[in-house]
Structures are given as C-alpha cells and as structure tokens.
Amino acid sequence: MPALKVPKREAEPVKRKLKSLGIYDGKRRPRREGDFVLLPVVGDEMVRSLGYEVLPVELPLRPERQIYKNLESVLAEKLSEDELRHLRRYDIVGDIAVVQIPPELEHRVDDIVWGLRKVHPFIRVVAQKGFHEGKFRIRDYSIIWGEKRLETIHRENGVEIKVDLSRVFFNPRMKGERYRLAQLVRDGERVLVPFAGVLPYALVIARYRRVKITAVELNREAYELGLENIELNRKRLKGEIEFIHGDAFEVLPELPTYDRVISPTPRGIDALALTLSKAERWLHYYDFVGEAEIENFRRRIIEECSSQGKECEVRVKKVSDFKPHVFKVCADVVVR
Ligand SMILES: C[S@@+](CC[C@H](N)C(=O)[O-])C[C@H]1O[C@@H](n2cnc3c(N)ncnc32)[C@H](O)[C@@H]1O
C-alpha cells in the first residue's frame, strides 16, 4: 500500500487534506521516520499530484481495524468499498454490541446490525455510543436494536463483571491491562485501587492472587454494582476486596500506605501526588498524554517523587490510542 512522505510539521494539515479528498487510508497507522511522517493513502493517481514523495510501504493495520475484519468480510456483500472504509471499531460488553456509526454510514445502520448479529449471534442489544460525561465518566448511549437495556454481565480474565453502561463507567478494552497488572502482583501484597468503578481491576487481581485489596469509588451506583460483583465472583477469588464508597481525595488521606497503588484516573483529574503518597513500592498511574508530552509527563512524576522524598524509576507505557497523537498511558513507577 502506498504512503505519502511528508515533513513532520506538515503532517496534520496534509492528513486533513487527504481525508477531505477521500484518499487517506484510516485503516493503517501513520509512521514517524526522523523528520518525516509516512501517511497511509489509498492507491489513487491523485496522490501523485500532491507534490510529495509516494513510497510503497506496508504500514500496519490499526489494532481496532483488525477486530473489524470479520464484520468487514460479512458486510462486504452489502456495503461498497468506500462505505467499508468508514466502519469503526466496536466493542462487545456481555451481550451488548457497542458501536459508533459515522455520518457516512447512517443509512446503513440496519445492515451493520445484521452483520453484527451474524458475527456475534449471542448479542441481544446494539447500542450506539456517545461521549463520556461528568466526573463519573458515564457514556451517553442510544439503543439502536434489541432489548431496551444497558445492563449485562461481561466475562473477562476469568471473572464475571455486572455493569450497567447507563449508570457506570466500564471499558472492555482494558482487559489486557488488567491481566498485565494481575501478573505483576505477588501473593501477600496489600493493594490500593482508587477510582475503582465496578471493580474490574480488583476482581481480576483477586482472581489470580492471594492479596488484600482496598478499593474506593465515588459513584454510588458503581459502588453497589461492585459489591454485587464481589458476591458474584466470591467462589473464584483467591484475594480479599474491601470496597469503600467515597471521594478518593477525602478517603485516601485517612488510609495507610500500600505495597502497590493502581490509579485508573478519571480523565482531567490530577491524582498523582495523592496516589504516589500512598505507594510504598509500586504505583501504576493512568493518564491521557499527547505523544510529544510523554517525556514531560515522566519527568513530572520523577519530580513529584523527589518532592515526596522518594527515589523512583518511571516507565511510561502507551496503553491505547485516545485521539490522534494522544494516548492513554500507564506510568509504572517503582519506588526505591
Ligand atoms: C476512568 S473510570 C475507571 C473505573 C474502573 N477502574 C474501570 O477501569 O472500569 C474512573 C472512576 O472513578 C470514579 N471517580 C471519579 N471521581 C472520583 C473520586 N473523586 N473519588 C473516587 N472515585 C471517583 C468514577 O465514578 C469512575 O468510576
């Protein structure tokens, strides 16, 4: 597949232009090479008229595109190639398919629902997602097919998680992250999870490790579902979970310190100083950071460590794409 070699500072406007001309290949990731960016384009004569070098490179598919492959091949018999290019990644939460339908595909909703039901015959609801809102980070949804509910039981990493998407935050894409953290934790640790939601991190860790976890959540509905989730999984859990309803900024100062703190921080909240102050050995701090800001973010954590009299090693890992050039990241902090 061809790619356009564009100087870094021109990448964003050129990308916008390619999109408006319908020749940007959004299924593939752009790649930075020194002072240039390789932008994925679809093979079209127009590409050559833009005045940039065109290279034959295999830019990798975006991961979210890969999970669409099955749906794409089912829908290939109904949608045109151009329409297929507008398909977005979707999620399966329990028996609910959560989709995003861009304006270019609004007339194809019935076909998309048909395709989803063919690929996932067990789904009972198809919901279109809006944006996360408010301090509880709850998304706005509209049900476009099936039963009129957003409550379901989601299975991941050997646990069952009851969620109600209309009342609580839940992100199935963090499954790999939860597994990664559960593998880092050792039996016997005391773990603190502020911003705990319906307890996905706590449940997965307690499923695999004999640990004592204290979790804190402010949204009463998430807290109550979390308590139900502890009962639902009681027989599977090796570890113990204590769940506190309250504001992390009020509750944490009253708590002792822990071996490990895991902070799935809500977007826009700065809980670094607070969570670090509770970590004796490890902190896993999630945040949203622009590509160019990652090094500053790492330095800010090291400075916070010094101001708390701690010596830390910090690694920042990109967890998922959030928007162009902005990532959800996890800072893995080891306190020496
Ligand atoms: C990004 S979500 C993460 C939820 C959960 N850990 C997960 O991964 O599904 C952040 C959570 O923090 C909760 N929250 C927001 N402000 C809070 C606060 N001041 N104290 C405790 N929890 C809070 C929200 O209700 C939400 O459930």
Side-chain angles (χ1 to χ4, degrees), residues 4-16 30-39 52 291-292 325:
L4 210 60
K5 187 174 176 187
V6 178
K8 209 168 78 184
R9 62 179 187 287
E10 293 170 35
E12 275 309 311
V14 173
K15 188 168 155 185
R16 278 197 294 277
R31 187 166 74 211
R32 199 178 271 185
E33 283 200 351
D35 290 337
F36 292 88
V37 177
L38 300 179
L39 295 173
Y52 297 100
E291 169 111 67
H325 307 295

Side-chain angles (χ1 to χ4, degrees), residues 251-263:
V251 175
L252 265 61
E254 306 299 319
L255 294 175
T257 53
Y258 293 78
D259 295 313
R260 191 181 296 268
V261 178
I262 296 170
S263 177

Side-chain angles (χ1 to χ4, degrees), residues 122-279:
F122 58 87
I123 59 174
R124 295 287 169 267
V125 182
V126 178
Q128 162 139 242
K129 70 178 177 189
F131 295 102
H132 279 123
E133 280 171 8
K135 65 178 171 194
F136 297 154
R137 313 306 295 146
I138 299 170
R139 267 193 201 272
D140 188 29
Y141 292 89
S142 54
I143 294 176
I144 55 178
W145 174 84
E147 296 171 20
K148 301 285 172 268
R149 62 170 164 87
L150 288 166
E151 185 179 291
T152 187
I153 293 186
H154 183 72
R155 290 173 184 81
E156 81 157 55
N157 289 312
V159 298
E160 293 189 342
I161 305 170
K162 188 169 174 188
V163 294
D164 182 338
L165 298 174
S166 65
R167 297 190 289 142
V168 302
F169 174 98
F170 180 71
N171 185 354
R173 296 185 192 178
M174 290 299 113
K175 171 182 167 185
E177 258 312 276
R178 296 193 260 270
Y179 183 76
R180 179 180 80 91
L181 291 191
Q183 297 310 304
L184 294 176
V185 173
R186 293 285 155 252
D187 282 351
E189 282 184 21
R190 292 163 301 113
V191 181
L192 174 67
V193 186
F195 315 111
V198 295
L199 292 177
Y201 283 88
L203 292 166
V204 175
I205 294 168
R207 164 82 178 82
Y208 293 101
R209 300 288 184 255
R210 244 171 261 290
V211 286
K212 286 203 166 143
I213 302 175
T214 299
V216 182
E217 169 59 46
L218 183 57
N219 175 357
R220 177 160 279 283
E221 314 225 44
Y223 170 72
E224 280 167 7
L225 278 169
L227 291 179
E228 276 190 57
N229 284 332
I230 296 174
E231 286 316 310
L232 194 60
N233 291 280
R234 177 75 67 196
K235 291 203 179 97
R236 303 185 179 93
L237 302 183
K238 288 187 181 168
E240 292 166 30
I241 304 173
E242 172 197 27
F243 199 11
I244 302 172
H245 174 236
D247 185 331
F249 288 89
E250 289 167 15
V251 175
L252 265 61
E254 306 299 319
L255 294 175
T257 53
Y258 293 78
D259 295 313
R260 191 181 296 268
V261 178
I262 296 170
S263 177
T265 331
R267 194 163 123 72
I269 287 194
D270 183 351
L272 178 62
L274 176 72
T275 52
L276 185 65
S277 73
K278 293 286 139 182

